[in-house]
Amino acid sequence: MLQKGLLIIVSGPSGAGKGTICKELISRDDSIIVSVSATTRKPRTGEVDGISYHFLTKDRFEALIGENGFLEHACVYDNYYGTPKDFVIEHITAGRNVLLEIDIQGALQVKKKYPEGVFIFVLPPSMKTLKSRIEGRGSETPESLNKRLSSAYSEIELIKNYDYFIVNDTVCHATDLLQAIITAEKCRVDADIEDIVRKFKEEN
Ligand code: 5GP
């Protein structure tokens, strides 16, 4: 039987830098497949449909919820975001490692459905850094900035539901840690170990 791939969930408060770390990871390791989320938010400058996100209308998104098309979905800062289910299942079943970069509500839903996933929480070095990172994007109004910061305070409490945490001090160091976690997970003794032992015996 083919060994299933890992489902790696990278999550944390908005502005913690999870997107940047994930991009760096992918540039270092092209064996990891990134799930492209669907969203109802408008594309930002430079974002490409089908690559950055699948940009959908609210009606289309809600229809997909009705068709059970998402592994998880959440309303994040007044827009829907969701992980297309078939894509993830197809790749994991084929033995490929799939990365989800999603918010905390979504990660907790995935944990209920797929507890064997690898749940990683990205923390900013400090709340001050978090604030300046969100401000630096230039896409927030003072009101939405405050909303994101107050959510971050309550979201950090949820770290206890995760398997690992990474403090994003520098992108390079944080990505080193993410790679180390993935390497360790690939070597974990888990449900597939009987299969690995049997194959090892057959070959020797
Ligand atoms: P942004 O609008 O800045 O791209 O993303 C806002 C938040 O939505 C980020 O915290 C991001 O991780 C999260 N997000 C992106 N895709 C998904 C998804 O498929 N599901 C969930 N639950 N959150 C997502």
Side-chain angles (χ1 to χ4, degrees):
M1 200 184 71
L2 184 66
Q3 203 182 345
K4 266 204 265 175
L6 295 174
L7 181 60
I8 305 150
I9 299 95
V10 174
S11 180
S14 166
K18 39 190 198 300
T20 317
I21 303 172
C22 289
K23 275 200 195 89
E24 175 64 17
L25 175 75
I26 302 314
S27 74
R28 293 186 193 183
D29 181 349
D30 60 10
S31 73
I32 293 173
I33 294 176
V34 184
S35 157
V36 178
S37 297
T39 183
T40 56
R41 92 151 158 68
K42 297 276 168 286
R44 295 184 186 131
T45 314
E47 286 186 329
V48 179
D49 188 30
I51 296 178
S52 318
Y53 281 103
H54 299 290
F55 294 102
L56 305 182
T57 60
K58 194 165 176 251
D59 283 352
R60 179 72 193 120
F61 198 104
E62 288 175 345
L64 281 170
I65 298 176
E67 291 162 22
N68 195 21
F70 293 113
L71 179 63
E72 61 74 34
H73 68 275
C75 196
V76 187
Y77 306 114
D78 306 325
N79 285 300
Y80 280 127
Y81 292 81
T83 303
K85 190 168 70 181
D86 291 351
F87 178 90
V88 172
I89 291 175
E90 188 188 306
H91 285 289
I92 286 185
T93 315
R96 292 186 277 268
N97 302 321
V98 177
L99 178 82
L100 308 184
E101 188 246 294
I102 60 176
D103 91 313
I104 296 163
Q105 309 168 65
L108 298 181
Q109 289 175 42
V110 179
K111 177 125 198 210
K112 278 201 187 125
K113 291 188 188 159
Y114 199 82
E116 60 271 52
V118 184
F119 293 83
I120 305 165
F121 196 100
V122 179
L123 281 168
S126 66
M127 290 309 277
K128 209 171 136 210
T129 319
L130 186 77
K131 183 169 182 242
S132 56
R133 282 184 186 161
I134 302 175
E135 278 171 340
R137 286 179 183 169
S139 56
E140 304 307 317
T141 61
E143 199 189 30
S144 68
L145 172 69
N146 283 334
K147 204 166 162 187
R148 284 183 187 235
L149 286 175
S150 67
S151 300
Y153 273 98
S154 46
E155 285 173 342
I156 286 170
E157 299 286 325
L158 297 167
I159 198 167
K160 53 182 177 289
N161 296 291
Y162 286 70
D163 302 310
Y164 298 95
F165 74 93
I166 291 175
V167 176
N168 183 14
D169 43 8
T170 68
V171 175
C172 182
H173 182 234
T175 313
D176 289 345
L177 295 176
L178 182 54
Q179 280 192 299
I181 292 168
I182 295 169
T183 305
E185 285 292 326
K186 285 181 184 165
C187 300
R188 183 185 273 280
V189 174
D190 62 13
D192 291 322
I193 198 66
E194 296 294 340
D195 243 36
I196 295 168
V197 170
R198 186 181 45 73
K199 272 191 212 137
F200 183 82
K201 282 183 176 164
E202 279 168 9
E203 282 165 15
N204 289 280

